[in-house]
Amino acid sequence: MPEAIDDYVVADNPVRFIDAFVNGLDLAAAGFKRVTPKVTGRPGYAPGDLLKLYIYGYLNKCGRAAGWRWNAIATSR
């Protein structure tokens, strides 16, 4: 069993590019709200993580929840 999650993803996987690309963006300057969570209440999902999921889904043509499920099953084997 790998010691880190990064060990599951090969070096040339497009997920690594998506991660680096979104991490390099200034999401607050791009107009994303809630980049810095409020002090009160539970924090929401990180906008950068949601953008990574959206880009991944777009590139893999996962337009529906069923497509996401199928793609997760197909790529995990």
Side-chain angles (χ1 to χ4, degrees):
M1 173 153 276
E3 294 182 21
I5 285 214
D6 281 343
D7 296 339
Y8 285 102
V9 182
V10 294
D12 62 344
N13 192 308
V15 168
R16 294 192 183 272
F17 169 77
I18 294 169
D19 185 50
F21 174 74
V22 173
N23 287 342
L25 296 175
D26 183 0
L27 296 178
F32 282 79
K33 297 180 181 180
R34 300 185 200 113
V35 174
T36 43
K38 294 181 180 179
V39 179
T40 59
R42 294 181 61 176
Y45 293 108
D49 292 343
L50 294 175
L51 181 59
K52 292 173 191 178
L53 284 170
Y54 181 81
I55 293 171
Y56 177 83
Y58 180 81
L59 292 175
N60 289 289
K61 299 178 180 144
C62 297
R64 303 173 302 143
W68 282 93
R69 182 174 180 273
W70 180 89
N71 193 26
I73 292 169
T75 58
S76 66
R77 295 179 183 175

